[in-house]
Amino acid sequence: MMSQQYTPPKVWQWNAENGGQFASINRPVSGATHDKVLPKGKQPLQLYSLATPNGVKVNIMLEELLAAGHSGAEYDAWLISIKDGDQFGSGFVGVNPNSKIPALLDTTNGVRVFESGSILLYLAEKFGAFLPKDIAKRTEVLNWLFWQMGSAPFVGGGFGHFYAYAPEKYEYPINRYAMETKRQLDVLDKQLAKHEFVAGDEYSIADMAIWPWYGGIALNRAYNAAEFLDTQSYKHLMRWAKQIDQRPAVKRGYIVNRNFGDGPLLPERHSSDDFAQFNL
C-alpha cells in the first residue's frame, strides 16, 4: 500500500530532487546544457550510445551486418555516459534533439538517425539485410518492430523503474506494471510457440529489437526480476532468448559501449580487432 495520499497541484512544478536512480539527469526541458563536440573516427558509421537495451539493439545489427559481409557497416562506437549528462552536450543534441541514446551519423551521406527502431530500419534498408523484401513478410517484421517500440516503455519506464530504481517500493505501480510486463511476455511466448523467430522463420531486425529487452528480462539480465516475473514459465520465449544469445554477433554487440555490470566490457569499439582480447 502507498504510505500517503497524493493530491496533484493545480500546476505541476519540477522538483529536481525527486529521488531515485537517474533522477539527476531527468528534466522537463530539451536542448543542450553545455558545448561538447562529438568525436569522430575513420569508419563510415559513427555510433554514439550506451549498452542499455535500446543501445544493444543497434550494436547487434551492426555486428550482424559485418558478419554477413557488409563491410560498409564498419563503425566507431563512442560511449555516451547518460549518468554524466553526455546526452545533453551540443554535439549529441545535434545528432539527436531528443537527447536519448542511441544516435547514428552516416558519414557517407551526412544522414543522422535517431530512435533505435529508426536506426534498425535505416540500416536494414541501406544494406538490404534482415528485412524481407516480400511485402507480407516485411510487414510482419515491422509489426513486431513497432510493437517493441510501443510496448517497452511500459517495461522499462514502468516496471523497471518502480521495481528496481524508484527510491521507495510501492505495491500499486509494481503490480500494475508487472501485470503488463507479464502480458507482453505471454504475447511473445505464444508467437514463438508457432515460429522459430519473432516474425516468422527468418531472423530479422524484429529479433534484434526485442531480444535486448525481453530476452534480457528472461535471462535475468535486467532488473534482477526473472524470478519475480517467473520467466522460466514462458518456455518458448526462453528457447528463443537462449538461441539468440548464442549468436556470435549478438555476443559481440552485447558488450559494445558497455561500461557497467559483469563480464566483458568494451566501452568503445573502433574495429573488429577490438574483440580479440575477449573469449567470446
Side-chain angles (χ1 to χ4, degrees):
M1 298 294 293
M2 292 191 178
S3 58
Q4 60 185 6
Q5 185 70 28
Y6 169 66
T7 301
K10 289 185 178 180
V11 179
W12 181 85
Q13 297 291 324
W14 179 34
N15 176 11
E17 303 300 324
N18 63 355
Q21 192 171 355
F22 307 116
S24 64
I25 64 169
N26 294 325
R27 57 197 183 104
V29 294
S30 63
T33 61
H34 59 281
D35 290 329
K36 186 175 182 179
V37 177
L38 285 176
K40 291 184 181 179
K42 65 180 182 179
Q43 304 296 0
L45 302 174
Q46 300 296 301
L47 176 66
Y48 305 97
S49 192
L50 183 70
T52 66
N54 284 337
V56 169
K57 298 176 192 176
V58 177
N59 302 347
I60 290 173
M61 176 60 165
L62 290 166
E63 291 297 330
E64 291 283 11
L65 287 168
L66 291 170
H70 297 282
S71 59
E74 266 295 351
Y75 67 106
D76 290 288
W78 303 96
L79 182 70
I80 298 296
S81 177
I82 60 175
K83 67 180 180 62
D84 296 322
D86 290 351
Q87 69 275 33
F88 301 122
S90 57
F92 188 86
V93 173
V95 180
N96 183 0
N98 194 41
S99 292
K100 301 289 184 181
I101 62 94
L104 182 76
L105 180 63
D106 187 341
T107 66
T108 67
N109 55 18
V111 169
R112 72 174 187 182
V113 200
F114 59 90
E115 290 296 324
S116 56
S118 179
I119 297 174
L120 291 178
L121 183 56
Y122 175 80
L123 293 172
E125 292 182 332
K126 179 181 176 74
F127 294 103
F130 303 113
L131 181 62
K133 291 182 171 55
D134 174 82
I135 186 64
K137 292 181 179 180
R138 174 188 170 88
T139 300
E140 185 68 2
V141 169
L142 295 181
N143 288 341
W144 287 102
L145 174 64
F146 288 111
W147 174 85
Q148 185 278 315
M149 297 295 292
S151 297
F154 292 96
V155 176
F159 174 75
H161 174 76
F162 287 106
Y163 183 79
Y165 301 138
E168 298 179 49
K169 290 190 174 8
Y170 293 114
E171 181 179 2
Y172 175 78
I174 290 175
N175 282 345
R176 170 67 181 87
Y177 288 111
M179 176 177 66
E180 174 59 15
T181 298
K182 286 183 68 66
R183 188 193 71 80
Q184 293 178 21
L185 294 172
D186 192 52
V187 168
L188 282 174
D189 194 60
K190 287 175 177 173
Q191 175 69 4
L192 289 162
K194 299 179 290 184
H195 304 285
E196 180 178 4
F197 299 107
V198 170
D201 59 0
E202 297 179 34
Y203 179 59
S204 73
I205 57 173
D207 300 282
M208 299 177 204
I210 292 168
W211 182 84
W213 280 100
Y214 299 88
I217 290 173
L219 298 172
N220 204 35
R221 296 175 187 169
Y223 314 127
N224 195 28
E227 181 179 10
F228 179 76
L229 295 170
D230 189 23
T231 61
Q232 291 294 327
S233 65
Y234 303 100
K235 299 187 184 305
H236 307 291
L237 172 63
M238 291 301 302
R239 182 271 305 165
W240 168 83
K242 293 175 181 177
Q243 179 182 351
I244 301 300
D245 192 42
Q246 292 304 306
R247 295 181 67 91
V250 171
K251 291 180 181 293
R252 293 192 296 273
Y254 185 76
I255 71 171
V256 172
N257 286 149
R258 186 169 297 275
N259 66 344
F260 57 89
D262 300 325
L265 305 176
L266 189 62
E268 289 187 5
R269 184 265 190 214
H270 301 291
S271 79
S272 58
D273 293 338
D274 293 338
F275 296 106
Q277 61 187 300
F278 306 111
N279 183 24
L280 298 178

